[in-house]
């Protein structure tokens, strides 16, 4: 049980703490870039690099959170007009398709990212660290989709499943 609680805390940290922090870094660095470029007339090349990396971290970990909480934007005209049983079928099918595509890409992308030996142009941050959130996001999305399938198949509500 302690391992499950530790894993849950780690996932919660990655999905609810990292995106706002990385967005805060993005915003502060963006302000620094504006001041150095337009006020001090001496642009700093590192600000663009940090902004892009912070944006990537925000998007990838935020996407995992959206999958967990089912907060993604959807076009639900057809979904809302069908029965609860058909909605469950759509959810299971959608999650299975997402797992299939993410699973198909996971191993090649992970191998490619972990083999990267070069770094970013200015700060020389290794690309494997820069793209690590993509690997984590892919794994988390697949796990959240599998959990949703399990909830749909067992009839468990999301609130009951998290207890």
């Amino acid at each position: 049980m302690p391992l499950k609680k530790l894993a849950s805390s780690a996932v919660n940290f990655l999905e609810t703490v990292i995106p706002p922090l990385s967005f805060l870094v993005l915003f502060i660095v963006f302000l620094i870039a504006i001041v150095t470029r337009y006020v001090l007339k001496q642009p700093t090349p590192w600000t663009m690099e940090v902004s892009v990396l912070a944006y990537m971290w925000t998007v990838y970990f935020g996407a995992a959170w959206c999958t967990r909480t089912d907060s993604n934007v959807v076009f639900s005209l057809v979904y809302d007009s069908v029965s609860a049983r058909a909605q469950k079928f759509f959810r299971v099918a959608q999650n299975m398709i997402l797992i299939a595509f993410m699973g198909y890409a996971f191993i090649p992308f992970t191998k490619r990212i972990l083999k990267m030996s070069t770094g970013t142009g200015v700060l020389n941050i290794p690309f494997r660290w820069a793209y690590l959130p993509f690997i984590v996001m892919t794994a988390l999305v697949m796990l959240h989709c599998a959990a949703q399938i399990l909830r749909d198949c067992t009839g468990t509500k999301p609130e009951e499943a998290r207890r």
Side-chain angles (χ1 to χ4, degrees), residues 50 83 88-89 121 125 129 133-138 141 150 162:
V50 172
S83 68
K88 185 185 291 189
F89 172 79
I125 298 170
W129 288 106
F134 180 79
I135 297 170
V136 175
M137 182 266 309
T138 305
V141 166
L150 187 63
R162 289 189 189 132

Side-chain angles (χ1 to χ4, degrees), residues 112-123:
R112 173 82 171 132
I113 289 169
L114 294 178
K115 284 182 182 177
M116 291 178 165
S117 59
T118 58
T120 59
V122 178
L123 297 175

